Amino acid sequence: PNPVSSELAISHLGAKAVGKLSIFNSLGKEVLKIDGLKSENQTKIDVSALNAGVYFIQLNIGKEIFSSKFIKQ
């Protein structure tokens, strides 16, 4: 994954509805939660307040769950 310093761009390919997005630290603690994302092709999230390290993203779209990770510089 590419390192991120302040803004994380997430592409969700024009999903009809996005229920929520959660970001977890390497210990599994939820550090950011966004409910009710609008259905757009890309969402930009301000992660500048997060400490440097590895984080995991969980994106709930309808009944599907997508996961990924990113590195915060």
Side-chain angles (χ1 to χ4, degrees):
N2 292 332
V4 174
S5 59
S6 61
E7 191 172 72
L8 177 66
I10 298 174
S11 297
H12 40 92
L13 305 174
K16 292 181 182 177
V18 176
K20 78 171 189 176
L21 180 139
S22 298
I23 296 179
F24 300 90
N25 65 16
S26 59
L27 299 175
K29 179 182 177 187
E30 186 176 56
V31 294
L32 183 64
K33 179 179 174 183
I34 302 172
D35 285 317
L37 289 175
K38 296 180 181 180
S39 57
E40 300 171 352
N41 287 334
Q42 189 175 69
T43 299
K44 293 185 179 181
I45 300 167
D46 181 8
V47 294
S48 59
L50 298 178
N51 293 325
V54 176
Y55 291 87
F56 299 90
I57 303 166
Q58 184 176 15
L59 180 62
N60 297 317
I61 301 175
K63 295 181 180 181
E64 296 182 279
I65 298 174
F66 301 92
S67 298
S68 186
K69 73 177 179 178
F70 71 95
I71 299 170
K72 167 68 168 67
Q73 291 183 327

